[in-house]
């Protein structure tokens, strides 16, 4: 084809043994700039030029493609933070900061390939994060890779799965914004990790733990009762307010949670709509909360003007909200002093589910108490009844734990 320009093609011109063209566009930043397109032939460039003209007439057009790191920064700020719950947004930002940007951040968004993502995933599965994140370099005396003795702090397969899922979500949004034509992260699979088999407490261990907490007059005794008997999560216990407790009716409403997010305590609604519910309380829960109210009033009197007024059920001796991490430490310490196996705090929910199952509570009722969104999740918990526990012993749960009721 001849190099002569056709009518209306004044902005198409020869460029480095090929052709180029430009269109004046309004950028997302509100500026007027040239947007260039390139091609091997005039016809190819002309086609791109026509499409660019049409795109410019519809609205703002970006004149340059960002790197993945630049795009992710904007995505977190403009999409994730406004649309998702604070804790979820914090988790997304963590995966971006620790795993995605270090491995892929310098890649141009539209040049990211399936091979890039697959290589990144494979590297994560075999990379010591102690050194990859520069933790060893910050130490006065290196003791990992910098010292020639790798500690092999390799991310779990679940962590790699989650990081890949965050990248896939970000690229899905980039497709929606028409910045890329396909989601390369969605084309890379990560083999699922084996589920860790949990070993929740037996009824005897739960009874032993609560007896020890009661005997020690632990200020968190009522919190432990709610966790074991009603399956409360940590955030739900610490976010519980007296407004949500009706001792006369024997009901408790789960609707708020307390979490530390980005270095500050956030009192927010529960994780999902299914997590919000009004539950009937067994007598042991009513009695424990009655005791907690008396203890809190005594703390208020002792603290005097140092008391920080709030409606939280569980507070420090000065009335301030209870730190989530401190709650974990208290739980671990109480487990040790009670002489029971140390388990994760969240695993107490599986103890609760197992107890409900062995007490012949209908799965639909247990689903309501545990506030699962799907019955399949409840049924999975129902398979975790410890073999050493008998149905007869479990049916005596109320009697065993009832010994802790205080008048």
């Amino acid at each position: 084809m001849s190099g002569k320009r056709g009518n209306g093609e004044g902005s198409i011109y020869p460029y480095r043994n090929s052709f180029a063209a430009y269109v004046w566009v309004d950028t997302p930043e509100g500026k007027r700039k040239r947007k260039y397109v390139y091609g091997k032939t005039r016809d190819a460039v002309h086609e791109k030029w026509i499409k660019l003209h049409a795109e410019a007439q519809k609205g703002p057009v970006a004149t340059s493609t960002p790197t993945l790191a630049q795009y992710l920064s904007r995505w977190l700020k403009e999409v994730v933070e406004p649309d998702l719950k604070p804790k979820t947004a914090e988790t997304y930002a963590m995966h971006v900061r620790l795993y995605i940007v270090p491995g892929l951040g310098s890649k141009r968004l539209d040049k990211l390939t399936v091979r890039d993502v697959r290589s990144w995933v494979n590297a994560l599965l075999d990379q010591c994060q102690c050194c990859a994140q520069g933790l060893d370099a910050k130490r006065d005396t290196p003791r990992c890779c910098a010292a020639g003795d790798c500690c092999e702090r390799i991310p779990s397969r679940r962590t790699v799965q989650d990081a890949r899922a965050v990248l896939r979500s970000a690229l899905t949004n980039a497709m929606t914004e028409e910045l890329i034509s396909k989601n390369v992260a969605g084309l890379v699979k990560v083999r699922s990790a084996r589920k860790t088999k949990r070993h929740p407490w037996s009824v005897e261990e739960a009874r032993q733990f609560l007896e020890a907490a009661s005997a020690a007059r632990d200020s968190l005794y009522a919190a432990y009762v709610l966790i074991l008997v009603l399956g409360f999560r940590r955030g739900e216990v610490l976010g519980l307010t007296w407004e949500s407790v009706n001792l006369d009716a024997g009901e408790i409403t789960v609707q708020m949670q307390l979490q530390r997010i980005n270095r500050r305590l956030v009192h927010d609604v529960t994780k999902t709509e299914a997590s919000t519910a009004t539950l009937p309380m067994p007598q042991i829960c009513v009695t424990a909360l009655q005791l907690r109210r008396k203890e809190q009033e005594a703390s208020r009197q002792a603290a005097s003007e140092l008391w920080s007024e709030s409606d939280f059920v569980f507070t420090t001796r000065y009335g301030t909200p209870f730190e989530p991490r401190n709650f974990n430490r208290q739980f671990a310490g109480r487990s040790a002093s009670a002489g029971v196996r140390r388990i994760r705090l969240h695993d107490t929910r599986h103890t609760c589910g197992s107890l409900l199952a062995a007490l012949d509570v209908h799965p639909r009722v247990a689903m309501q108490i545990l506030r699962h969104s799907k019955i399949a999740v409840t049924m999975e918990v129902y398979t975790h009844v410890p073999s050493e526990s008998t149905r007869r012993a479990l049916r005596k749960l109320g009697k065993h734990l009832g010994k802790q009721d205080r008048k």
Side-chain angles (χ1 to χ4, degrees):
M1 183 175 185
S2 109
K4 184 178 179 181
R5 298 175 180 177
N7 291 334
E9 297 183 351
S11 57
I12 300 179
Y13 55 91
Y15 178 78
R16 294 183 180 177
N17 297 321
S18 57
F19 292 87
Y22 66 85
V23 173
W24 284 96
V25 300
D26 294 316
T27 69
E29 296 79 21
K31 296 181 179 181
R32 189 78 171 163
K33 289 187 176 181
R34 288 177 176 180
K35 170 78 172 183
Y36 290 86
V37 292
Y38 305 91
K40 291 293 184 182
T41 66
R42 179 182 292 278
D43 287 342
V45 172
H46 182 258
E47 184 177 347
K48 292 180 181 179
W49 183 70
I50 292 296
K51 290 181 179 179
L52 185 55
H53 261 297
E55 186 180 352
Q57 291 174 359
K58 292 179 181 179
V61 177
T63 56
S64 62
T65 304
T67 63
L68 180 61
Q70 291 170 334
Y71 169 73
L72 290 173
S73 177
R74 181 176 67 81
W75 174 68
L76 288 173
K77 183 178 181 180
E78 298 180 3
V79 179
V80 173
E81 291 181 12
D83 293 349
L84 302 182
K85 291 184 68 62
K87 191 63 178 179
T88 303
E90 183 189 46
T91 301
Y92 274 38
M94 179 271 292
H95 283 297
V96 167
R97 182 181 71 256
L98 297 183
Y99 305 115
I100 303 176
V101 168
L104 296 170
S106 62
K107 297 284 184 180
R108 215 174 82 175
L109 181 62
D110 61 339
K111 297 297 183 182
L112 190 65
T113 66
V114 172
R115 185 173 183 178
D116 290 332
V117 177
R118 183 175 289 115
S119 296
W120 166 69
V121 166
N122 291 340
L124 276 183
L125 290 169
D126 194 40
Q127 188 177 52
C128 172
Q129 293 302 301
C130 179
C131 294
Q133 296 173 21
L135 301 181
D136 202 36
K138 297 176 183 178
R139 299 185 178 117
D140 293 334
T141 303
R143 59 173 183 267
C144 186
C145 300
D149 186 20
C150 183
C151 66
E152 297 185 356
R153 183 179 167 183
I154 298 171
S156 67
R157 191 168 289 274
R158 174 61 185 274
T159 296
V160 177
Q161 278 184 312
D162 290 344
R164 199 268 310 188
V166 170
L167 176 60
R168 182 181 59 191
S169 179
L171 296 184
T172 296
N173 185 76
M175 288 181 64
T176 301
E177 296 181 357
E178 298 183 344
L179 296 174
I180 55 177
S181 59
K182 65 179 179 180
N183 189 335
V184 294
L187 302 175
V188 177
K189 306 301 180 183
V190 181
R191 179 169 54 85
S192 298
R194 289 187 178 182
K195 290 187 177 181
T196 302
K197 188 174 182 180
R198 296 181 175 89
H199 299 281
W201 280 338
S202 65
V203 177
E204 179 62 25
E205 287 173 307
R207 177 194 61 78
Q208 185 176 335
F209 175 84
L210 288 178
E211 283 182 344
S214 176
R217 304 187 68 83
D218 194 320
S219 62
L220 294 174
Y221 169 73
Y224 301 146
V225 170
L226 294 179
I227 284 174
L228 282 165
V229 179
L230 294 183
F232 271 49
R233 299 177 177 89
R234 180 185 67 177
E236 293 166 348
V237 165
L238 299 183
L240 183 65
T241 60
W242 286 113
E243 182 183 7
S244 300
V245 178
N246 189 331
L247 293 175
D248 294 330
E251 293 181 340
I252 188 168
T253 300
V254 186
Q255 57 186 351
M256 302 295 288
Q257 60 182 344
L258 184 71
Q259 297 175 311
R260 179 161 287 281
I261 303 173
N262 292 326
R263 300 183 179 181
R264 65 186 182 93
L265 287 175
V266 176
H267 193 217
D268 196 11
V269 294
T270 49
K271 184 177 180 180
T272 63
E273 289 185 13
S275 298
T276 300
T278 297
L279 307 175
M281 290 192 292
Q283 185 57 43
I284 184 176
C285 298
V286 175
T287 306
L289 286 169
Q290 288 172 337
L291 174 64
R292 174 59 195 155
R293 173 162 275 178
K294 293 178 181 178
E295 290 175 341
Q296 193 175 61
E297 181 58 34
S299 296
R300 180 186 287 106
Q301 296 295 330
S304 187
E305 69 276 3
L306 297 178
W307 182 261
S308 179
E309 195 61 52
S310 73
D311 195 40
F312 287 115
V313 174
F314 300 102
T315 58
T316 66
R317 58 180 177 176
Y318 296 113
T320 55
F322 212 95
E323 275 285 346
R325 286 189 178 182
N326 288 344
F327 188 85
N328 281 53
R329 295 187 185 100
Q330 292 283 89
F331 175 77
R334 179 57 57 204
S335 299
S337 61
V340 295
R341 288 181 298 116
R342 181 171 180 175
I343 64 174
R344 297 188 314 163
L345 182 61
H346 191 73
D347 287 345
T348 56
R349 283 178 54 79
H350 292 270
T351 299
C352 173
S354 299
L355 297 177
L356 293 172
L359 286 166
D360 296 325
V361 175
H362 193 278
R364 286 289 176 184
V365 178
M367 178 181 175
Q368 179 185 2
I369 293 176
L370 293 170
R371 286 150 290 136
H372 289 153
S373 59
K374 297 180 180 179
I375 188 65
V377 178
T378 307
M379 295 309 297
E380 182 180 352
V381 173
Y382 261 45
T383 65
H384 294 162
V385 179
S387 59
E388 69 272 11
S389 300
T390 65
R391 288 187 175 275
R392 182 177 180 181
L394 290 172
R395 289 193 185 100
K396 293 180 180 179
L397 175 65
K399 180 179 179 181
H400 286 321
L401 299 185
K403 292 178 182 179
Q404 307 311 308
D405 293 355
R406 303 181 186 183
K407 306 298 182 182

